[in-house]
Amino acid sequence: MRASVMPKLTPAQRIAWLRLVRSDNVGSVTFRQLVNRFGSVDASLDALPALMRGAGRPFRLTSPTEAEDEIAALDRLGARVVATGEADYPPHLIHIPAAPPIVTIAGGQNLDWHRTVAIVGARNASAAGAKMTRLLTTDLGEAGYVVVSGLARGIDTAAHRASLTTGTIAVLAGGLDCIYPDENIPLANEILGYGGALVTEMPLGWEPRARDFPRRNRIVSGLSLGTVVVEAAKRSGSLITARLALEQNRDVFAVPGSPLDPRAEGGNALIQQGAKLITSAADIIDSIGSADPKRNMLFETEWQPDLDALPDSPPGADERSRLLTALSTTPTDIEELLAQTTITPQAMQILLLELDLAGQIEWSSGQLVALRGA
């Protein structure tokens, strides 16, 4: 699946896309692997039952009625399902590894999605950090930039509030009807009231879990030309967002802070590691004025075999056993697995699809990790 603008999906196609992405363990990478292997979303849906029999795990395939009900419920909320390649899919998001096949968007029809900057930071923000966030956000808004953040407490909240009138995008870790934290439900409504946007890849009714916040963070950075860290502890979600931005080949900025304040440790460490030190919005604007999110061109980071050159034979139990033995909790390249197991590339792809759908592996920056307890 290449990144190109395609015609708007038909209602039937939108239902099929939603069915595939909402089925058990079909994440962004698996979705693309399936479509690349079987040629279309409809063919992937047809192939899933057989794949799951090979995995030997129970599997739930989303029904057409479930997908239709979700689309209807989103429509009642004034939201829409947007697929990769459609004209209103967020333009910078398409260029990140494992871009969501679909996102749900409420509002934002008049925002400039091309001029976007993410601002993230500590939930227990200091008064100075909140003030710096307001100054940066206000100046960015006056310069025509839309501010992206994660609707969390602290710095995120300050960034959204300061950009209500100039444009802001809040990325959610749960469904559109599961705003977290509860105290920011009024802020989410204000964002929509002022013409801003709420974005998520999660279905309606999805209560965010701990593992969903890093997934949200990749969208925060992926929507943006650059990510600004105002305050962050050494181990924090803000540093995860900064790392993801670097993996996406986006600019990372950090506001320096006192070495005596633990909330400044993460930002100061980023500066030591090469993040751009900033003291004003002008520092950000000067740097991202010529930024091009297409420069990394990471439409497909997941490995693909040359299917046309290989016989179409299903993998056997011995091949499955060799692959399971080779996998570990340490991220491993596909080429290394191929060399160690001597499994053919086509058989490897089918086995990986089965294991992924069974929840036994996950992808991490283009490498494979075996999940503990799987």
Side-chain angles (χ1 to χ4, degrees), residues 301 330-334 336 362-369:
T301 57
T330 301
T332 307
D333 290 325
I334 295 294
E336 185 176 343
E362 68 179 18
W363 295 83
S364 176
S365 301
Q367 297 181 311
L368 279 165
V369 177

Side-chain angles (χ1 to χ4, degrees), residues 40 58-59 102 185 203 244 264 272 302 342 347 369:
S40 71
F59 179 75
I102 62 169
I185 293 175
L244 292 166
Q272 289 178 320
E302 58 271 25
T342 67
V369 177

Side-chain angles (χ1 to χ4, degrees), residues 11 31 60 91 93 109 122 131 160 190 221-222 253 257 280 301 315 373:
F31 185 99
R60 188 189 67 82
L93 194 60
Q109 288 89 343
K131 180 179 180 179
H160 287 307
E190 284 187 83
S221 56
F253 308 91
S280 69
T301 57

Side-chain angles (χ1 to χ4, degrees), residues 4-9 82-91 113-114:
S4 59
V5 175
M6 65 181 182
K8 192 175 182 68
L9 294 182
V82 183
T84 307
E86 289 193 290
D88 50 349
Y89 189 89
W113 293 77
H114 290 87

Side-chain angles (χ1 to χ4, degrees), residues 99-172:
I102 62 169
V103 289
T104 300
I105 304 175
Q109 288 89 343
N110 297 318
L111 293 178
D112 187 348
W113 293 77
H114 290 87
R115 291 166 60 84
T116 47
V117 176
I119 297 183
V120 298
R123 286 174 170 79
N124 61 333
S126 68
K131 180 179 180 179
M132 185 64 179
T133 300
R134 290 192 296 271
L135 291 172
L136 292 173
T137 303
T138 300
D139 289 347
L140 285 169
E142 289 178 353
Y145 287 90
V146 174
V147 170
V148 182
S149 200
L151 204 66
R153 299 181 181 94
I155 297 300
D156 289 21
T157 294
H160 287 307
R161 288 204 174 280
S163 56
L164 282 173
T165 60
T166 54
T168 188
I169 300 167
V171 184
L172 310 180

Side-chain angles (χ1 to χ4, degrees), residues 307-340:
L307 297 173
D308 293 334
L310 298 166
D312 191 9
S313 55
D318 177 64
E319 293 167 309
R320 185 175 288 104
S321 176
R322 296 205 307 271
L323 177 57
L324 288 171
T325 299
L327 287 166
S328 72
T329 54
T330 301
T332 307
D333 290 325
I334 295 294
E335 297 302 329
E336 185 176 343
L337 289 172
L338 287 168
Q340 183 174 338

